[in-house]
Amino acid sequence: MEIFKVVCELIIPILIFGVLFAVGKFIHVRLLNSKSRILNPGEYFPDEELETLKQVYYLVMMLIFFAFILYIMIVQANEVFAIAVLQILVSVYVALTLDYSYLKNKILFFLLVPFEAIIFLVFNDFLMIWPIYLMHILVYAYFIKVYFDKFRKYTETNGLGITIILLFAIVFISFIITLFVEGVEPLNSAVMVSNAFTSNGYAILGNSGIGKLTSLVLVWSGYIISGVGTATLTAAIMMRHNQKREKELNKRLDELESLIKNSNNKE
């Protein structure tokens, strides 16, 4: 009976993950082939902001994998459902980004299968195969390195500044300090730090795990959009100022040209 349970805990998550991967692949292809302006980030953000957001994306992925490691190491956690959902979504997303022409990535596909998350959501039970937990800690640590290398390469290739690292360091260190000082779970710590950083108070918003994840998305989305709005307003003011200066310069050039013509006519 125990052997049958172990087999189920291995086979069922792989099958479910495969189905989710296929669905994600279908959606991904449809989005890539879509010509809708709504799905084009360039319609919402200037190029400079897109470059910064790409840097933020790499750093956020590192933070998410670090949080997964913390949750694997913390046995007693209240927000298991929300983290399980997030773990499945992130695992499917990362699997979609892999290049399967390499054997290493084919192996990583199976290592990414969130056995513990799927077992919890499907059977409302905890995975009892402990080597898988250790395997996922190593896999998530590997992807932290992968996304850090991508961040460094992208930053160096595009000649971008690394000021964003200072922002990330402040948030990350605050996240760790809050985690231990306040004695809260990683998700609660992330919510508290995010609210404090964006001047929304130092509190946990949301009663459920999904609600807390939603509050995180809303807080940082608002922060990013407000930053873009400020940058756009500044650019508009500068553009208007430059246009005014250009008109004044053209007017003076016209006056100078008229003076030269009048002077030539007198001669």
Side-chain angles (χ1 to χ4, degrees), residues 92-152:
V92 171
Y93 168 75
V94 173
L96 289 171
T97 63
L98 296 177
D99 181 3
Y100 292 101
S101 60
Y102 298 98
L103 177 62
K104 178 186 70 174
N105 291 338
K106 293 178 181 178
I107 297 174
L108 281 174
F109 174 85
F110 291 99
L111 297 180
L112 273 171
V113 176
F115 293 94
E116 57 271 43
I118 295 176
I119 290 296
F120 177 79
L121 293 180
V122 175
F123 299 106
N124 194 26
D125 195 7
F126 291 96
L127 182 69
M128 300 307 296
I129 307 175
W130 294 104
I132 289 181
Y133 289 103
L134 177 60
M135 176 192 72
H136 275 165
I137 290 176
L138 297 176
V139 170
Y140 294 152
Y142 168 77
F143 276 106
I144 289 175
K145 179 183 181 302
V146 167
Y147 279 98
F148 176 76
D149 290 340
K150 288 184 177 181
F151 169 82
R152 184 176 59 185

Side-chain angles (χ1 to χ4, degrees), residues 66-78:
F66 180 76
F68 287 163
I69 292 175
L70 289 179
Y71 268 101
I72 291 175
M73 297 173 65
I74 299 174
V75 180
Q76 298 295 329
N78 296 320

Side-chain angles (χ1 to χ4, degrees), residues 20-80:
L20 293 175
F21 177 80
V23 173
K25 189 74 173 178
F26 173 77
I27 296 174
H28 180 65
V29 171
R30 291 294 298 270
L31 291 177
L32 287 178
N33 295 331
S34 175
K35 297 181 180 180
S36 174
R37 294 178 60 187
I38 297 177
L39 301 176
N40 182 13
E43 296 289 336
Y44 307 101
F45 305 105
D47 293 338
E48 296 79 7
E49 191 69 21
L50 285 175
E51 291 176 344
T52 301
L53 289 178
K54 191 69 176 289
Q55 289 180 301
V56 172
Y57 157 74
Y58 291 132
L59 296 175
V60 167
M61 291 299 294
M62 291 166 56
L63 183 59
I64 289 175
F65 283 120
F66 180 76
F68 287 163
I69 292 175
L70 289 179
Y71 268 101
I72 291 175
M73 297 173 65
I74 299 174
V75 180
Q76 298 295 329
N78 296 320
E79 311 298 349
V80 179

Side-chain angles (χ1 to χ4, degrees), residues 147-164:
Y147 279 98
F148 176 76
D149 290 340
K150 288 184 177 181
F151 169 82
R152 184 176 59 185
K153 181 179 179 181
Y154 181 80
T155 301
E156 293 175 353
T157 302
N158 293 277
L160 303 176
I162 57 174
T163 309
I164 190 67

